[in-house]
Amino acid sequence: MESEYVTTPFGRRPMSLGMLASQHLAETIEPGMKRSKWKLFRAICEARPALGVTDRALTVLDALLTFYPDDEISEEKGLIVFPSNAQLSLRARGMTPATLRRHLAVLVEAGLILRKDSPNGKRYARRDRAGAIGDAFGFSVAPLLARAVEIESLAAQAVADRELLRVTRERLTLCRRDISKLITAALEEGVSGDWEGISAMFRTLLARIPRVATAEDLAPLLDEMAMLRAEIVNMLERRIKTQKIDANESQIEHHKQNSNPDSNYEFEPSFETKQGEKAATDNDPNAGPSDERRLKQQRPSGRMSNRAGGAADPGAGASLKSFPLGLVLQACPSILDYGPGGSIGNWRDLMSAAVVVRSMLGVSPSAYEEACSGMGPENAATVIACILERGGHINSPGGYLRDLTRRTEKGEFAIGPMLMALARANGPMARHAS
């Protein structure tokens, strides 16, 4: 083993394997390698937590680099600086000798500088007759040059992590504001729904936000808040759609009543059907064409009568937004066993698995078809997955599904809270999207 690079500290300071490793690393500098000392110092400041140094230690390193004669660190120009403690203290903004020694030790332990102590522990350089430095004793900045690529990589990662944290915090703040104001708007507008439960869920999410958090801490909370916001938007959009349908029906009805104001309504008396007359005419084989025409004019169309009776548009559920497939599978992992080949990779696989589970749970085809019509096929499959996950707590899955379908059509049911409760019960929220 070569030992030319080994140098031990002066006095009572002990030698360690870490120092030996740093000295060995300093000997591995690539030929011709050079770096701007201030750009490298900035990278060290960015990567400070990963390097395990304090801000005061960086103040000392800054002072040490001011004694390096050139802007670029390179082997050709030497790697040793040899200021006295008094000079170093002045450039370290008046740091006391004891504090200075402590932070120099931190830099050595972090592998950023090396000690090259003289026989008597003093720092100095020997020069030849031409004034060139022949040998020097002090602090070597060779580890900075040897670790330049590593330090720059750590700095880039630190910058990326900081930017990710900033973006995550911004999104979380926007999501919090959106949820708060949407809930307030829903309450002021009198939108039907379990707004007390949704507000309680929102408060629970807010309470889980740590005071000092990383992007990894905030990402699951952001996913859950985004899902809650999507569910609230779904509920409000259903209310808007219902209002548009009601307004259109009112306009159509008003138009029908006033489309011919000059008419004498000469056939109007014949429309006054007595109780039982409608059924009798339907069953009378001798009823004439005029009777049939009058009955068709008298009866409103099926779609209009359903809407007038307050039932929701059958296609209303199809416009509801579905949640990301990854979140559904995280909340309901049991459905994975029923997918094609024992896995689920897309929505088609989930809907195929839902058909199998529907039959296994004893849910009738008609109940599932109604759910698909009222909620949309993706949301219906999601609800089946949730029912499977909560199977031990539901006595009649078919009746439960029909009840949820009715509540969805009335705007009283939201999938999000049920899905989030299961997601929390089954571990951290999935971050991948479908």
Side-chain angles (χ1 to χ4, degrees):
M1 176 179 177
E2 295 182 2
S3 59
E4 289 80 1
Y5 64 86
V6 176
T7 176
T8 56
F10 171 79
R12 296 182 179 179
R13 289 191 296 269
M15 184 66 177
S16 68
L17 292 179
M19 292 180 185
L20 190 62
S22 296
Q23 291 177 18
H24 178 67
L25 179 64
E27 294 294 316
T28 62
I29 299 173
E30 296 180 5
M33 188 174 186
K34 57 180 65 178
R35 285 291 191 277
S36 166
K37 64 181 181 182
W38 297 124
K39 288 183 180 179
L40 192 55
F41 177 73
R42 182 186 179 99
I44 293 171
C45 292
E46 294 283 5
R48 181 178 66 83
L51 293 171
V53 293
T54 63
D55 54 346
R56 299 294 300 279
L58 291 183
T59 300
V60 176
L61 180 60
D62 182 24
L64 273 175
L65 290 177
T66 62
F67 289 97
Y68 193 82
D70 295 289
D71 286 337
E72 285 191 335
I73 302 175
S74 65
E75 284 190 290
E76 291 78 8
K77 298 174 183 177
L79 297 171
I80 304 293
V81 291
F82 40 89
S84 66
N85 278 355
Q87 292 174 321
L88 194 55
S89 176
L90 288 175
R91 296 198 188 182
R93 296 165 180 78
M95 190 175 290
T96 62
T99 304
L100 185 66
R101 288 192 296 270
R102 185 169 66 252
H103 291 301
L104 284 170
V106 170
L107 293 173
V108 171
E109 290 174 5
L112 296 179
I113 61 173
L114 289 175
R115 293 182 186 272
K116 187 179 178 182
D117 289 344
S118 66
N120 61 4
K122 301 294 184 181
R123 300 177 201 137
Y124 58 86
R126 290 196 181 96
R127 301 177 184 270
D128 57 21
R129 293 183 178 181
I133 295 176
D135 200 4
F137 298 95
F139 296 104
S140 171
V141 295
L144 296 182
L145 201 56
R147 299 179 63 186
V149 175
E150 175 196 354
I151 291 170
E152 289 163 353
S153 176
L154 290 173
Q157 185 61 48
V159 171
D161 291 344
R162 186 170 64 247
E163 180 64 15
L164 178 60
L165 178 60
R166 183 189 67 79
V167 172
T168 303
R169 284 187 178 278
E170 285 182 356
R171 291 177 179 173
L172 189 63
T173 299
L174 292 174
C175 203
R176 289 173 60 180
R177 184 183 71 191
D178 292 346
I179 292 174
S180 177
K181 294 198 173 184
L182 289 172
I183 290 176
T184 301
L187 293 174
E188 290 178 352
E189 296 288 338
V191 179
S192 60
D194 184 15
W195 297 109
E196 183 177 350
I198 291 175
S199 298
M201 187 177 299
F202 180 47
R203 290 192 297 270
T204 301
L205 290 175
L206 293 178
R208 289 169 52 196
I209 300 176
R211 295 184 64 181
V212 180
T214 63
E216 289 75 14
D217 297 328
L218 297 179
L221 292 172
L222 178 60
D223 285 342
E224 293 189 49
M225 280 202 181
M227 192 162 66
L228 181 60
R229 177 177 61 183
E231 187 59 36
I232 293 173
V233 171
N234 263 345
M235 297 171 70
L236 297 181
E237 285 180 349
R238 287 200 297 269
R239 173 60 179 266
I240 293 172
K241 184 171 183 178
T242 302
Q243 288 179 338
K244 286 183 178 179
I245 291 173
D246 292 344
N248 290 340
E249 290 174 359
S250 175
Q251 185 177 1
I252 292 170
E253 187 66 26
H254 181 73
H255 177 69
K256 286 174 64 178
Q257 291 176 359
N258 297 279
S259 60
N260 191 6
D262 297 329
S263 172
N264 293 325
Y265 293 96
E266 57 184 13
F267 295 111
E268 187 172 355
S270 64
F271 291 166
E272 298 176 359
T273 308
K274 296 180 181 179
Q275 185 176 6
E277 180 179 344
K278 176 180 176 182
T281 309
D282 285 344
N283 297 326
D284 186 1
N286 298 320
S290 59
D291 296 328
E292 293 178 2
R293 186 162 52 250
R294 285 203 309 271
L295 286 172
K296 288 179 180 178
Q297 291 173 344
Q298 183 181 359
R299 299 171 191 154
S301 65
R303 173 176 290 186
M304 292 301 295
S305 65
N306 285 340
R307 291 182 179 177
D313 184 4
S319 65
L320 298 181
K321 297 181 180 68
S322 59
F323 293 98
L325 180 61
L327 294 177
V328 176
L329 298 180
Q330 176 69 23
C332 310
S334 299
I335 195 75
L336 288 167
D337 296 333
Y338 301 92
S343 64
I344 294 176
N346 50 52
W347 280 107
R348 183 181 297 276
D349 291 347
L350 179 64
M351 288 186 280
S352 298
V355 172
V356 176
V357 172
R358 185 273 306 164
S359 177
M360 184 189 73
L361 294 176
V363 177
S364 66
S366 61
Y368 187 59
E369 288 174 6
E370 290 177 7
C372 289
S373 176
M375 303 177 183
E378 291 89 354
N379 286 325
T382 299
V383 171
I384 287 291
C386 292
I387 293 175
L388 174 65
E389 203 67 33
R390 300 179 57 199
H393 305 282
I394 299 173
N395 294 327
S396 175
Y400 184 62
L401 181 62
R402 288 186 186 275
D403 179 62
L404 295 184
T405 302
R406 286 193 295 269
R407 290 168 58 191
T408 299
E409 292 174 348
K410 296 178 181 179
E412 297 175 354
F413 170 64
I415 300 176
M418 179 169 63
L419 200 60
M420 282 191 291
L422 290 172
R424 284 195 297 270
N426 290 321
M429 299 292 294
R431 297 184 61 184
H432 63 280
S434 59

